[in-house]
Amino acid sequence: MNEFFVHPLADVHTADIGAGSRIWQFVVVLANARIGRDCNICSHCLIESDVVIGDRVTVKSGVQIWNGLRIANDVFIGPNVSFSNDKFPKSGNRDFECLETVVDEGASIGAGATILPGIHIGANATVGAGAVVTKNVPAGATVVGNPARIHQLNS
């Protein structure tokens, strides 16, 4: 018996999934992706192969987690958040530099936010819904807007 749940309509190609995690319908997870314990991956998500997701992470519907993303424990990713991993995308370019994006422990990313490649979102930071994050977000900061700017900095 599996220690995690995969909906029968999901397409999961990794066994590196922690106990208690739930993967819902119409989710695609590629081989070699790592998903921690007690995660909830909601419907209509894509997780590529060079991805690490920590424990107790929630990924709401409509999120694509591309190669190079590192998501720490206790992170919330709202619906339809857009990550990217290529600063200069061109159709058919297989030689692009895949930039690593890091989301530290306890961070929350609001619905519809856009996170550009190579960004570091600090521990317990909050990205407001619809924000376009073009620069690193300090730990404890709340950022909003386009481009995202610090609205509040908690110590």
Side-chain angles (χ1 to χ4, degrees):
M1 184 170 149
N2 290 337
E3 296 181 8
F4 54 85
F5 170 78
V6 175
H7 192 281
L9 295 177
D11 184 14
V12 176
H13 296 273
T14 185
D16 197 352
I17 301 169
S21 287
R22 297 167 312 284
I23 299 176
W24 295 98
Q25 65 272 32
F26 312 119
V27 171
V28 175
V29 182
L30 300 183
N32 302 315
R34 295 188 321 199
I35 300 171
R37 300 172 59 88
D38 299 316
C39 292
N40 190 33
I41 312 298
C42 296
S43 66
H44 297 90
C45 290
L46 168 71
I47 299 172
E48 282 195 313
S49 57
D50 181 21
V51 168
V52 177
I53 297 175
D55 298 335
R56 298 170 305 281
V57 172
T58 296
V59 180
K60 298 304 276 184
S61 299
V63 176
Q64 294 82 43
I65 301 179
W66 306 110
N67 286 334
L69 264 87
R70 306 294 181 256
I71 300 168
N73 298 336
D74 302 303
V75 167
F76 175 84
I77 300 172
N80 299 305
V81 166
S82 292
F83 291 97
S84 56
N85 63 1
D86 183 358
K87 271 194 174 179
F88 305 102
K90 293 188 191 292
S91 180
N93 181 9
R94 302 290 178 239
D95 297 323
F96 75 93
E97 179 185 0
C98 181
L99 296 176
E100 185 175 272
T101 297
V102 176
V103 182
D104 281 342
E105 189 165 335
S108 292
I109 303 174
T114 299
I115 313 300
L116 294 186
I119 297 294
H120 184 157
I121 298 174
N124 301 308
T126 300
V127 175
V132 177
V133 180
T134 61
K135 296 180 180 171
N136 293 340
V137 178
T142 297
V143 298
V144 297
N146 179 7
R149 292 188 170 95
I150 295 176
H151 174 71
Q152 182 176 343
L153 186 57
N154 300 321
S155 47

